[in-house]
């Protein structure tokens, strides 16, 4: 018997999101510990997982990155921190320089003050971000994560952020936490110098900006929103 039922169209599965963490664990010359901010990883991750979007974890040096903001009163943080599979993945992050950018649909940079030291100066950050973006992928970052974008240039030599609308940890928020004289540069001001249009919200309020395939958020309060916006772009790519 020959079936006349229409066949379902083939839908290519979404490639993983590469979630990148800092490997830098000290705030400048202060000796104080830092690293990636846990909620800026777990909250976007929860958005991806709820939508069935796969992910892989990477860091600048590979292995287990230093963690900051270990707030286990946050239910999402607590759920992941108590999950053996998540903790195992975190102990064995990929070294960013060894990943194949073609394997990923998007790249996401979590914040935490450590990002201010190793994200902007790392050649692999620039290379992998450029290759994913120029192949049609999504680039996302939250809080200090946009430090990864400060020195990324495209194939034409222009800064990726030039002419783009975005959000990042503001200069006022940096002053509020009394680290404006500790970080190597002021993030929001530097992004503006690179030609970006920075859109701040009042301190510690959520702000997510989407400009094409670039998704950025201002602070920890924006992390879930960045994940949700990236999810929507991956599930429903713009024409």
């Amino acid at each position: 018997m020959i079936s006349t039922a229409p066949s379902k169209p083939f839908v290519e599965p979404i490639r993983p999101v590469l979630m990148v963490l800092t490997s830098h664990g000290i705030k400048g010359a202060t000796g104080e510990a830092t690293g990636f901010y846990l909620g800026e990883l777990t909250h976007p991750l929860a958005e991806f997982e709820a939508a069935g979007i796969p992910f892989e974890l990477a860091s600048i040096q590979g292995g287990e990155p230093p963690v900051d903001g270990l707030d286990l009163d946050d239910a999402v943080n607590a759920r992941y921190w108590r999950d053996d599979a998540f903790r195992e993945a975190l102990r064995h992050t990929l070294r960013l320089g060894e990943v194949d950018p073609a394997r990923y649909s998007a790249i996401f940079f979590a914040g935490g003050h450590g990002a201010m030291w190793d994200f902007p100066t790392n050649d692999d950050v620039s290379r992998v971000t450029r290759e994913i973006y120029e192949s049609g992928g999504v680039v996302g970052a939250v809080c200090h994560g946009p430090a990864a974008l400060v020195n990324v240039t495209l194939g034409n030599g222009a800064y990726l952020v030039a002419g783009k609308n975005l959000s990042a940890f503001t200069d006022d928020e940096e002053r509020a936490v009394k680290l404006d004289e500790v970080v190597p540069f002021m993030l929001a001001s530097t992004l503006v110098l690179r030609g970006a249009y920075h859109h701040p919200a009042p301190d510690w309020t959520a702000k997510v900006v989407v400009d094409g395939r670039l998704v950025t958020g201002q602070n920890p309060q924006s992390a879930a929103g960045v994940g949700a916006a990236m999810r929507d772009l991956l599930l429903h790519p713009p024409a």
Side-chain angles (χ1 to χ4, degrees):
M1 182 177 178
I2 299 175
S3 172
T4 58
S7 60
K8 293 182 180 180
F10 173 74
V11 178
E12 184 176 352
I14 296 175
R15 288 169 291 154
V17 176
L18 184 64
M19 306 186 78
V20 184
L21 309 171
T22 178
S23 294
H24 188 88
I26 301 294
K27 294 176 184 172
T30 67
E32 295 177 5
T34 187
F36 77 91
Y37 207 76
L38 182 61
E40 293 172 22
L41 171 63
T42 60
H43 283 257
L45 178 53
E47 299 293 334
F48 299 149
E49 288 204 307
I53 297 172
F55 73 96
E56 292 180 5
L57 300 182
S59 62
I60 301 302
Q61 295 179 8
E64 186 167 11
V67 63
D68 197 1
L70 188 59
D71 177 11
L72 298 185
D73 289 333
D74 177 317
V76 176
N77 278 351
R79 173 163 62 89
Y80 279 103
W81 196 250
R82 293 165 183 156
D83 181 89
D84 290 342
F86 172 77
R87 294 289 294 278
E88 182 69 9
L90 197 56
R91 282 190 285 268
H92 299 94
T93 66
L94 303 168
R95 183 175 176 274
L96 185 62
E98 296 175 351
V99 307
D100 176 5
R103 295 190 59 248
Y104 303 99
S105 62
I107 188 167
F108 167 79
F109 293 97
H113 273 92
M116 292 291 287
W117 278 270
D118 61 358
F119 278 5
T121 58
N122 184 267
D123 291 341
D124 296 316
V125 166
S126 297
R127 175 183 59 82
V128 175
T129 303
R130 178 173 57 251
E131 290 188 28
I132 290 175
Y133 186 76
E134 291 193 328
S135 66
V138 175
V139 173
V142 68
C143 197
H144 288 92
L149 308 179
V150 164
N151 292 318
V152 176
T153 55
L154 302 177
N156 62 6
Y159 287 112
L160 185 154
V161 299
K164 299 288 198 311
N165 297 287
L166 52 71
S167 188
F169 201 67
T170 68
D171 293 0
D172 284 345
E173 286 170 321
E174 202 69 82
R175 295 185 190 101
V177 297
K178 297 181 170 54
L179 290 172
D180 52 302
E181 295 186 3
V182 174
V183 292
F185 59 92
M186 296 295 270
L187 178 55
S189 294
T190 302
L191 290 165
V192 170
L193 289 174
R194 297 292 192 257
Y197 301 107
H198 182 251
H199 298 269
D203 291 0
W204 320 120
T205 59
K207 179 71 174 182
V208 176
V209 176
V210 179
D211 191 334
R213 291 177 287 105
L214 178 65
V215 182
T216 48
Q218 178 172 318
N219 45 32
Q221 292 77 10
S222 312
V226 169
M230 292 181 68
R231 172 204 66 204
D232 290 347
L233 284 172
L234 293 170
L235 294 176
H236 309 287

